[in-house]
Amino acid sequence: MMRRTLSWLTLLTLLLGILSACGGSDGTTAGTAGTQAPTTTESSPSTGSPAASAPAAGEKVKLRLSTWAGVEEAKELDAILAKVNAEATSFEIVQEPQPADYYTKLQTTIAGGQAADLIWLSQEYIAGYVDRGALMDVTDCLNGSDRPAAKLDDYFPEVLQTAQFKGKTYGLPWISQPVILYYNPKLFQDAGVAEPTADWTWDDFKSAAEKLTKPDQGIYGTAFNDWPPIQMFIWQAGGEVVSEDLMQSPIDSPEAIQGAEFYGDIIFNPTYAAPENVIKEQGFGELAKNGKVAMFFGGAADDLDYAHTKDAKFAELKAALVPKGPKSRTTFAWTASTVVNAGTANKQAACDALIALTEGIHHWKIVAPRKSLANKETIVASVPLKEASADVIVEAAKDMRSFRIVPAQSEWDTVFWEQFKDPLFHDKGAAADLAKPAREALEAVLQGP
């Protein structure tokens, strides 16, 4: 089967890269640019040389940390590492940023037994790396620590599960970005449309999008392009795309169909949203920043709400909760974790470093995936420019969830795109007609040969 070349993951990466390009390094989005999904031909981890050698008595163990951080983000992380290393008595963490082709290079180092001791992984990759034996089980180590970042019951369960597989924990999430709705108050005022409220529904959103759309002026109510993920709307309707046991993809349920139909009716539809050719010509995130899209779904850490304070050419945008669906206001959360290389030569030191590093990052990136830190004070202390949106972000965090990730995630994504989303988005079939055969193919991936 021909692989999909522009998966939602790639689109998400492009989006986040676009949004971060003008937004400095306050969000983690800058670091995701250039990431690529691992392939099914990925090499198995080597059992050869360890990631580091044992230190001499009395010396700190030097631990390597692999990240996708860009220049500015890497500088900020180095400042955190300086504090962590100063307090540590048994280890010193050294960052190795790889902002380009991160996963390709990571695969090579893992296969060659030269991977770093600590590794950043986006949520969609962790199960696959665990399945290939590349990551260390840190469950017992975390249970033995009394540091706050090691207390798993403080994490949002739907976020923590991205770092777990078959009842074991393989890392600690350091960010969870709930999707929120950024809107342009001037476009709302010009169109005589009331601004979004906390009780907005799908119908309110769709009605506003239609009134705000003025193709002759190049203004559109919203913009979808496989972002935000369709899963979010399926969840809001009460449906699922992957069952809790990771064995089924019930996308043909009435609830899932309802969510998919809502999404399919908006995407690229000039009645409500920017057409595909306009997005290609003017850029997805740029449409919102440049005042051409009235409502845009973005991550909580994106700079859309304060970019205009740094550069007057950008439109003023405010933040609101995503519209509520028939069953809930569930919103997607992009999540990343730090994991430990199974081949590290210093397992206890690596786990101790994981905990200390995570504690530091939780006071840098927003939103920290811990219930005790998902508050306005922590958000504003981490990113002061987010003060005006902090209350919305805190509320959104209560409804956020991440994907259920499977070892064959790349293959599942390919089938989901080719047999369901792509034809739905391009009017090649109705959700109800596409869902049943697509479900059979998706479950063939989940259940294996």
Side-chain angles (χ1 to χ4, degrees), residues 64-262:
R64 298 158 52 214
L65 167 64
S66 181
T67 79
W68 54 67
V71 175
E72 292 302 318
E73 191 176 27
K75 287 182 180 177
E76 294 177 9
L77 179 56
D78 276 340
I80 292 172
L81 292 176
K83 295 179 182 178
V84 170
N85 290 334
E87 295 174 357
T89 58
S90 61
F91 61 81
E92 177 185 359
I93 304 173
V94 179
Q95 180 185 189
E96 296 180 354
Q98 295 284 353
D101 297 325
Y102 179 72
Y103 286 101
T104 299
K105 294 173 182 175
L106 179 59
Q107 290 169 203
T108 301
T109 56
I110 288 178
Q114 297 299 320
D117 303 272
L118 303 170
I119 302 167
W120 275 9
L121 283 183
S122 185
Q123 59 182 347
E124 62 269 23
Y125 300 117
I126 296 176
Y129 277 83
V130 171
D131 197 51
R132 289 187 288 276
L135 306 186
M136 187 176 93
D137 176 4
V138 295
T139 307
D140 292 339
C141 171
L142 297 178
N143 288 338
S145 174
D146 59 1
R147 299 198 61 165
K151 304 301 181 185
L152 299 186
D153 58 358
D154 190 29
Y155 287 76
F156 289 95
E158 293 284 1
V159 173
L160 178 63
Q161 56 92 18
T162 64
Q164 297 177 318
F165 191 66
K166 296 183 177 178
K168 301 292 185 181
T169 301
Y170 292 89
L172 289 174
W174 48 262
I175 190 172
S176 51
Q177 274 205 73
V179 171
I180 60 176
L181 184 69
Y182 294 94
Y183 69 95
N184 185 316
K186 182 178 185 304
L187 293 181
F188 273 75
Q189 182 178 17
D190 291 348
V193 177
E195 296 183 11
T197 64
D199 58 356
W200 253 35
T201 66
W202 283 4
D203 289 342
D204 296 322
F205 170 78
K206 200 169 178 180
S207 175
E210 183 172 7
K211 294 174 182 174
L212 289 158
T213 297
K214 301 173 182 177
D216 58 324
Q217 299 177 28
I219 303 296
Y220 300 94
T222 192
F224 286 10
N225 74 338
D226 200 18
W227 174 266
I230 194 173
Q231 287 93 326
M232 192 172 91
F233 297 88
I234 291 175
W235 297 336
Q236 290 185 350
E240 266 297 348
V241 296
V242 175
S243 62
E244 191 169 357
D245 64 2
L246 309 183
M247 297 301 287
Q248 299 180 57
S249 286
I251 62 170
D252 57 348
S253 70
E255 295 83 4
I257 295 299
Q258 184 180 15
E261 287 178 339
F262 176 78

Side-chain angles (χ1 to χ4, degrees), residues 154-439:
D154 190 29
Y155 287 76
F156 289 95
E158 293 284 1
V159 173
L160 178 63
Q161 56 92 18
T162 64
Q164 297 177 318
F165 191 66
K166 296 183 177 178
K168 301 292 185 181
T169 301
Y170 292 89
L172 289 174
W174 48 262
I175 190 172
S176 51
Q177 274 205 73
V179 171
I180 60 176
L181 184 69
Y182 294 94
Y183 69 95
N184 185 316
K186 182 178 185 304
L187 293 181
F188 273 75
Q189 182 178 17
D190 291 348
V193 177
E195 296 183 11
T197 64
D199 58 356
W200 253 35
T201 66
W202 283 4
D203 289 342
D204 296 322
F205 170 78
K206 200 169 178 180
S207 175
E210 183 172 7
K211 294 174 182 174
L212 289 158
T213 297
K214 301 173 182 177
D216 58 324
Q217 299 177 28
I219 303 296
Y220 300 94
T222 192
F224 286 10
N225 74 338
D226 200 18
W227 174 266
I230 194 173
Q231 287 93 326
M232 192 172 91
F233 297 88
I234 291 175
W235 297 336
Q236 290 185 350
E240 266 297 348
V241 296
V242 175
S243 62
E244 191 169 357
D245 64 2
L246 309 183
M247 297 301 287
Q248 299 180 57
S249 286
I251 62 170
D252 57 348
S253 70
E255 295 83 4
I257 295 299
Q258 184 180 15
E261 287 178 339
F262 176 78
Y263 197 98
D265 194 31
I266 292 175
I267 187 170
F268 306 141
N269 184 343
T271 300
Y272 310 104
E276 190 169 22
N277 66 309
V278 171
I279 293 173
K280 288 181 178 177
E281 290 168 1
Q282 300 188 38
F284 190 51
E286 283 83 352
L287 280 170
K289 275 192 167 182
N290 293 327
K292 301 297 184 182
V293 163
M295 297 180 287
F296 190 86
F297 293 81
D302 293 339
D303 71 337
L304 288 163
D305 48 351
Y306 63 80
H308 69 283
T309 67
K310 294 186 172 181
D311 191 332
K313 72 180 180 184
F314 295 126
E316 178 186 1
L317 299 178
K318 294 182 177 179
L321 296 173
V322 298
K324 184 178 180 181
K327 297 291 177 60
S328 74
R329 198 191 298 277
T330 304
T331 190
F332 169 69
W334 179 79
T335 301
S337 291
T338 303
V339 298
V340 180
N341 178 2
T344 183
N346 302 287
K347 298 185 182 304
Q348 185 60 51
C351 187
D352 292 342
L354 165 69
I355 297 169
L357 172 63
T358 303
E359 188 69 44
I361 296 179
H362 282 175
H363 293 274
W364 170 43
K365 297 293 190 180
I366 62 170
V367 177
R370 286 159 52 191
K371 290 173 278 189
S372 64
L373 297 178
N375 54 63
K376 184 173 183 177
E377 292 74 21
T378 303
I379 290 171
V380 175
S382 300
V383 186
L385 288 171
K386 278 291 181 180
E387 182 172 9
S389 303
D391 288 332
V392 169
I393 294 170
V394 171
E395 286 300 308
K398 297 174 183 176
D399 293 318
M400 66 180 176
R401 64 165 285 187
S402 302
F403 295 143
R404 288 176 178 152
I405 305 300
V406 300
Q409 189 64 39
S410 179
E411 289 74 20
W412 190 94
D413 281 336
T414 298
V415 173
F416 195 40
W417 171 259
E418 292 183 344
Q419 299 194 29
F420 188 69
K421 292 195 296 182
D422 183 41
L424 176 68
F425 296 169
H426 294 96
D427 297 324
K428 297 177 182 176
D433 298 329
L434 297 166
K436 185 174 177 57
R439 174 176 180 167

